[in-house]
Amino acid sequence: MLEVLDPATDKVVGRVAKATRREVDAALDAASAAQPRWAATDAATRSETVAAIAEGLRAERTPLARLITMEQGKPLTESEAEVDYAASFFEVASRESLRLGDQGLEVDGKRVRVEHRPIGPTAAITPWNFPLAMLAKKTAAAIAVGCSQVVKPAEQTPLTAVRLGEIAVAAGVPRDVLHVVTGEPEEIGEALFQDVRLRKLSFTGSTEIGRLLLTKAAARVLPLSLELGGHAPLIVFDDANLEAAVELTMIAKFRNGGQTCVAPNRILVQSGIHDRYVDALAERADRLTSGHGFDAVDLGPVIDDAAASKIQHHIDDAIEHGGRVVVGGGRRTIPGLTDRFPEPTIILDTGPEMRCWREETFGPVCPIRRFDREIEAIELANRTPYGLAGYVSTSSEDLGRRVARALDCGIVGVNDPRPAIADVPFGGVKASGFGREGGRLGLDDYLVPVTVSEVR
Ligand code: NAD
């Protein structure tokens, strides 16, 4: 069995099976057998089933949120928001799956039809930072269009995934269509890659593991969707509304303690507003409270010791390279809890020579850099292998649009700290991966267009 720990206390909060190779194979057997039946189920039934999963999630909002907080650590209100966000993916998939429709045309006396068929048995591998939502994106789309799915959640947060599986079955998903397998990532990964019946793998996680999976997939030409790491820039222009710019930063940066793929990791602030922005942000960040996610705090623990050490290392490295810490810089000690509570930290005079500018910190750290010219900010913002999200803070519509167009990433928030919603595509460019989740395009990842041309 695998023990699941509360990252705030290190108490065991659950145990899940360590799936054996035979069990993973059995899940694939069942998913493969179920595939044609689920694909043949009429679209309206599938759509209703997916909508019923959304209802099931909303009905269990509080207990599910508690489960997320227990194994992942984020404050309860954020877990509740995650349940809502996850449910919205099922609602959108339910709606969009009814609009797929085949295309037909007559050309040169031939009758040609393009059918959008479910790609086949699929697999999903998901990270720990949003244990419910990252899985919901994949399961909602797969189930809605008629694919079976084998799911492997992160080993730190498997309990939420198991519960989602139960809710889906209660909502009407046949038992053999959706499988949650928990255990050792490498072993489960190997079993999935070696099974030629698997037709698609959707992965959300680090760029490092994504790259590894891409090489494995190449060997058998397995289609992948990769939602990988990010290193979002936030550009604050002189004409920004100060309060709104600070609010955007507080939400986008400190949500989930900075453990989000779309968190701003490089904050570029124009000279005219720089000092006022820093003062206002420092005042707000310093007031953030830390503690157990059940205790009405702003920040929970980070996921494990390695995460806490990496954050500290990034801060120390920035200081070594000339960064100036104006708030935080260390860890908070909270009686009775683990030492995984990095202080909200603001570092000035940061730049590309520092690790925090090159790697994801995945913590409550704001590296800030002053700039003068728009072009300089855009060049710095795009100088990264990543390309997931970016943010702009300005009161000029023209400037906002121009910079949004210039940013080399998949999602841009102009004065918007939460640009990701279930109705529209979410995903990155460059080393942040490929494939899209959300909206109509999110379903395409689980469909293959098949052309049937008839001569009569
Ligand atoms: P991770 O890459 O370490 O793990 C992700 C998943 O892959 C986990 O389920 C893990 O068990 C599994 N895994 C690890 N090694 C494997 C192997 N050899 N074979 C098969 N599976 C394996 O990432 P993490 O630490 O869980 O999550 C944080 C990362 O996820 C960050 O880089 C973050 O930016 C990224 N992320 C991206 C998005 C996005 O939508 N682009 C969303 C959330 C998180």
Side-chain angles (χ1 to χ4, degrees):
M1 297 291 271
L2 274 185
E3 286 187 340
V4 183
L5 304 179
D6 174 341
T9 60
D10 266 350
K11 288 202 179 107
V12 176
V13 290
R15 289 184 177 79
V16 291
K18 215 188 247 185
T20 61
R21 175 64 188 253
R22 191 177 292 187
E23 284 165 328
V24 182
D25 289 344
L28 281 158
D29 288 345
S32 305
Q35 175 59 41
R37 251 182 295 120
W38 187 240
T41 304
D42 70 288
T45 306
R46 279 193 262 110
S47 168
E48 278 162 25
T49 308
V50 169
I53 301 176
E55 272 172 42
L57 291 174
R58 291 200 190 275
E60 274 202 30
R61 187 173 188 257
T62 305
L64 259 174
R66 289 187 72 81
L67 194 59
I68 295 172
T69 293
M70 211 164 75
E71 63 177 353
Q72 198 274 340
K74 70 182 66 171
L76 198 56
T77 49
E78 289 192 26
S79 297
E80 286 165 350
E82 183 175 343
V83 177
D84 297 340
Y85 184 52
S88 69
F89 278 90
F90 286 97
E91 283 153 1
V92 169
S94 162
R95 185 187 73 213
E96 293 297 328
S97 63
L98 293 176
R99 296 184 181 159
L100 296 179
D102 295 342
Q103 291 158 268
L105 62 160
E106 301 263 347
V107 184
D108 298 337
K110 296 195 272 191
R111 189 175 285 177
V112 184
R113 225 172 39 253
V114 182
E115 299 172 1
H116 298 280
R117 296 187 190 161
I119 195 164
T122 65
I125 300 183
T126 52
W128 50 263
N129 64 339
F130 289 88
L132 184 64
M134 296 304 109
L135 184 51
K137 292 176 173 196
K138 302 181 192 309
T139 301
I143 299 295
V145 302
C147 293
S148 59
Q149 193 172 53
V150 176
V151 163
K152 194 214 84 62
E155 52 278 28
Q156 297 93 333
T157 56
L159 302 175
T160 308
V162 170
R163 190 68 203 124
L164 172 62
E166 290 165 353
I167 289 170
V169 169
V173 176
R175 248 171 219 288
D176 49 0
V177 166
L178 182 64
H179 305 263
V180 181
V181 291
T182 53
E184 298 295 344
E186 290 82 6
E187 276 178 41
I188 297 173
E190 273 318 302
L192 294 176
F193 276 103
Q194 284 171 17
D195 197 310
V196 291
R197 294 170 300 179
L198 186 70
R199 300 291 287 273
K200 161 98 194 182
L201 170 69
S202 180
F203 171 79
T204 300
S206 62
T207 295
E208 185 194 353
I209 301 295
R211 213 172 257 135
L212 175 78
L213 302 188
L214 195 52
T215 55
K216 288 177 189 282
R220 51 159 295 200
V221 197
L222 176 71
L224 292 186
S225 289
L226 296 177
E227 298 283 349
L228 307 179
H231 211 285
L234 158 60
I235 309 179
V236 182
F237 285 98
D238 278 347
D239 70 349
N241 172 312
L242 181 66
E243 240 175 71
V246 170
E247 183 64 14
L248 184 155
T249 317
M250 293 301 294
I251 295 170
K253 179 73 237 186
F254 293 107
R255 188 167 62 110
N256 203 6
Q259 302 171 109
T260 69
C261 51
V262 291
N265 280 315
R266 292 164 296 140
I267 306 178
L268 297 148
V269 189
Q270 206 162 16
S271 290
I273 198 173
H274 180 276
D275 294 357
R276 283 179 294 134
Y277 169 85
V278 169
D279 287 349
L281 184 68
E283 199 264 322
R284 287 280 304 274
D286 209 25
R287 275 196 279 131
L288 290 173
T289 56
S290 302
H292 196 288
F294 287 157
D295 291 338
V297 291
D298 300 309
L299 302 170
V302 293
I303 192 71
D304 54 25
D305 289 342
S309 304
K310 181 181 182 188
I311 293 163
Q312 193 60 51
H313 196 69
H314 277 200
I315 296 169
D316 296 345
D317 171 79
I319 296 170
E320 242 171 66
H321 287 86
R324 285 189 296 128
V325 172
V326 288
V327 166
R331 290 190 206 190
R332 285 177 169 162
T333 305
I334 301 168
L337 301 185
T338 57
D339 65 349
R340 299 184 193 126
F341 293 87
E343 288 180 310
T345 296
I346 297 177
I347 316 177
L348 306 185
D349 302 333
T350 63
E353 66 285 6
M354 298 173 185
R355 284 188 64 181
C356 61
W357 266 59
R358 299 193 305 267
E359 299 167 21
E360 287 183 290
T361 303
F362 243 52
V365 180
C366 299
I368 294 179
R369 182 185 180 94
R370 187 190 289 268
F371 75 91
D372 290 308
R373 291 163 49 232
E374 180 185 330
I375 188 153
E376 174 195 349
I378 290 168
E379 192 279 318
L380 274 166
N382 287 337
R383 203 195 297 171
T384 168
Y386 295 104
L388 187 57
Y391 303 86
V392 187
S393 197
T394 172
S395 53
S396 153
E397 203 173 299
D398 280 351
L399 181 59
R401 291 205 176 146
R402 190 164 71 231
V403 176
R405 263 198 308 275
L407 286 179
D408 207 0
C409 51
I411 307 141
V412 184
V414 180
N415 301 317
D416 183 358
R418 299 186 189 88
I421 54 169
D423 303 76
V424 292
F426 178 102
V429 298
K430 301 197 279 181
S432 292
F434 47 78
R436 288 294 181 267
E437 295 183 323
R440 165 69 176 81
L441 270 181
L443 303 188
D444 281 350
D445 270 18
Y446 295 87
L447 292 166
V448 266
V450 175
T451 299
V452 181
S453 180
E454 291 174 4
V455 175
R456 294 157 175 247

